[in-house]
Amino acid sequence: MAESTSPAPFHDVIVVGAGPAALSAAIYTTREDIDTLLFERGAIGGLAAITDKIDNYPGFPDGVAGLQLADDLRAQAERFGAKIELGEVTAIHDEGKYKRLETTSGDMLARAVLIATGSDYKKIGVPGEAEYYGRGVHYCATCDGAFYREKRLVVVGGGNSAVQEALFLTRFATHIDLLVRSTLKASDVLLRELAAHSDKITVHLGTTTDEIVATDGMVTKVIGTHEGQRIEFDTDGVFVFVGLVPNSQFLAGTTIELDEVGFVKTDENLATTMPGVFAAGDIRSGATMQVASAVGEGATAALKIREYLERPATEA
Amino acid sequence: MSKNVTVYTTNNCKFCAMVKQYFDTKGVAYDVVNVEEHPERQKEVLELSGMLSVPVTNVVDENGSSKVIVGYNIAELNAAVAA
């Protein structure tokens, strides 16, 4: 289906990202013989891939490891012919019939583009966080938890991710202080599991994280505040899970409209304000930040892209 | 030019899998040190990178010169392999 007289590599569809939304879309487009290339700068499978266990993805009564789900989605997409390139898209230009993407592998052309770059873990922005990144401050429990065998830890956050990762870290740490700024906002299942691990995890509601302190370059304590009182938590490391920020920096300066936070605005067809460019998954303004939703949006986007590609060139 | 490549990993680290996949794609042989299975070797990660984090990749060329890459960084991996 793909053809072009341009020297730049050409694809019917370029998907920016290779998380659940992107891979789901690729399954649909490639099954219809639409030439599809995915560009991924990080982990294939996105944040889902570095999540220990996903308990609310339909079809897995006992939950599924994020890594396994990511690998299965990827294998399914590749079975139908999706190509995944490791690299980064740095800009998108609207050239009418084609979109030109600046990438770390050079310029590429596509008739349609799906932005599915997802989001990344948010920083708390307190003193010590950036200074001791990787030396006591971490954002990936499944990657770095093993360094804290028989150690004390602080986990910051009160959502599903924070509770899930705190539970994961109990396999290594002797004790975990879970610092929750307001109240816990995790699922009932996770809250029951949390209660079952009360011997290892102490929950501190209404507690802010104000500073991460190190001695000789290694993290030794976290300073927080509860009801106006300063509290110190002795710890060997801090794992932060306080929400998500959109990976949309590369869209700055384009005609693709973002919301006030930086998520991509779309219409009911998941189309952005640049014709031929669609968005799905966590990057989309209004997204529910759920793997199941991302997969559904990826499928919807693929069908809308197919409609777009089937339009006469004068309409596209 | 042949290089000795060592990738430090843990059991569930997706970024570690990505680094290994990168070298597989490039046809570059590498050794794996799983610091979760071998905690006695965690100090090597700290000594090489100054961090308690994986993946860490150590690329040593024929002259014994070492290039350490922290995380899954395509640009740095490309440079280390090409140099």
Side-chain angles (χ1 to χ4, degrees):
Chain A
M1 191 168 171
E3 57 176 322
S4 173
T5 56
S6 168
F10 171 81
H11 299 275
D12 289 324
V13 179
I14 291 181
V15 181
V16 190
L23 292 166
S24 171
I27 290 168
Y28 274 73
T29 55
T30 51
R31 281 193 81 219
E32 304 219 13
D33 202 25
I34 297 172
D35 169 51
T36 304
L37 176 72
L38 296 86
F39 249 96
E40 175 56 57
R41 68 171 185 173
I44 293 173
L47 285 185
I50 60 171
T51 302
D52 174 43
K53 185 180 177 186
I54 298 169
D55 243 350
N56 55 2
Y57 190 79
F60 295 89
D62 299 319
V64 58
L67 188 62
Q68 186 62 54
L69 182 62
D71 283 344
D72 287 347
L73 284 169
R74 169 204 175 126
Q76 193 173 3
E78 289 184 332
R79 178 161 70 91
F80 296 120
K83 296 177 284 290
I84 302 175
E85 187 152 334
L86 304 178
E88 188 167 359
V89 174
T90 53
I92 299 177
H93 304 279
D94 186 3
E95 300 191 344
K97 190 175 176 184
Y98 302 112
K99 313 303 155 194
R100 182 168 57 84
L101 284 73
E102 293 180 31
T103 82
T104 48
S105 302
D107 282 8
M108 296 198 174
L109 296 175
R111 291 174 62 202
V113 173
L114 175 62
I115 299 168
T117 44
S119 49
D120 217 338
Y121 287 118
K122 189 190 284 182
K123 313 288 189 288
I124 18 180
V126 299
E129 184 182 23
E131 293 90 326
Y132 304 113
Y133 169 66
R135 289 179 295 142
V137 179
H138 305 268
Y139 303 89
C140 178
T142 53
C143 302
D144 301 335
F147 288 98
Y148 294 93
R149 200 180 296 275
E150 303 302 315
K151 301 283 179 70
R152 286 184 71 95
L153 287 173
V154 163
V155 171
V156 182
N160 283 328
S161 293
V163 173
Q164 179 79 60
E165 300 307 304
L167 290 167
F168 173 81
L169 288 167
T170 59
R171 67 179 71 180
F172 304 111
T174 54
H175 185 267
I176 294 168
D177 287 300
L178 180 61
L179 309 192
V180 185
R181 188 177 56 180
S182 53
T183 58
L184 286 165
K185 295 182 177 65
S187 73
D188 287 345
V189 172
L190 284 173
L191 292 179
R192 281 197 292 274
E193 275 198 63
L194 187 61
H197 285 78
S198 59
D199 57 327
K200 273 202 162 187
I201 302 175
T202 304
V203 180
H204 303 270
L205 300 179
T207 303
T208 59
T209 301
D210 305 330
E211 185 177 357
I212 297 165
V213 179
T215 302
D216 297 329
M218 302 305 286
V219 167
T220 53
K221 74 172 79 163
V222 168
I223 298 172
T225 303
H226 175 70
E227 295 181 347
Q229 299 294 311
R230 172 188 161 112
I231 309 176
E232 293 188 2
F233 299 93
D234 291 334
T235 190
D236 298 293
V238 183
F239 283 78
V240 179
F241 306 98
V242 292
L244 301 168
V245 289
N247 291 321
S248 61
Q249 299 86 345
F250 71 108
L251 300 174
T254 70
T255 58
I256 296 170
E257 192 177 350
L258 309 178
D259 69 14
E260 63 278 5
V261 182
F263 291 96
V264 178
K265 287 187 173 181
T266 59
D267 65 12
E268 67 277 13
N269 293 316
L270 303 185
T272 73
T273 46
M274 183 184 285
V277 178
F278 298 75
D282 287 2
I283 190 62
R284 200 179 62 77
S285 183
T288 56
M289 306 297 179
Q290 301 297 306
V291 179
S293 302
V295 166
E297 287 189 16
T300 302
L303 298 175
K304 297 301 178 184
I305 286 171
R306 184 188 64 182
E307 287 178 18
Y308 174 83
L309 294 175
E310 286 175 348
R311 284 184 217 162
T314 51
E315 290 181 32
Chain B
M1 184 181 286
S2 68
K3 299 180 179 187
N4 286 321
V5 177
T6 305
V7 183
Y8 293 84
T9 71
T10 54
N11 286 340
N12 298 292
C13 166
K14 180 65 178 176
F15 295 107
C16 303
M18 293 297 294
V19 170
K20 290 187 283 185
Q21 186 194 344
Y22 169 87
F23 285 119
D24 288 339
T25 305
K26 296 283 183 183
V28 175
Y30 56 89
D31 295 321
V32 174
V33 176
N34 184 322
V35 298
E36 187 169 345
E37 303 293 335
H38 299 281
E40 74 280 4
R41 299 193 67 176
Q42 290 182 1
K43 62 180 185 294
E44 292 175 35
V45 174
L46 184 60
E47 287 165 0
L48 283 167
S49 67
M51 301 176 92
L52 293 172
S53 185
V54 290
V56 163
T57 305
N58 188 23
V59 181
V60 181
D61 67 20
E62 286 179 335
N63 301 319
S65 178
S66 173
K67 171 74 178 169
V68 177
I69 300 117
V70 178
Y72 173 65
N73 185 317
I74 295 170
E76 288 193 17
L77 289 168
N78 277 337
V81 170

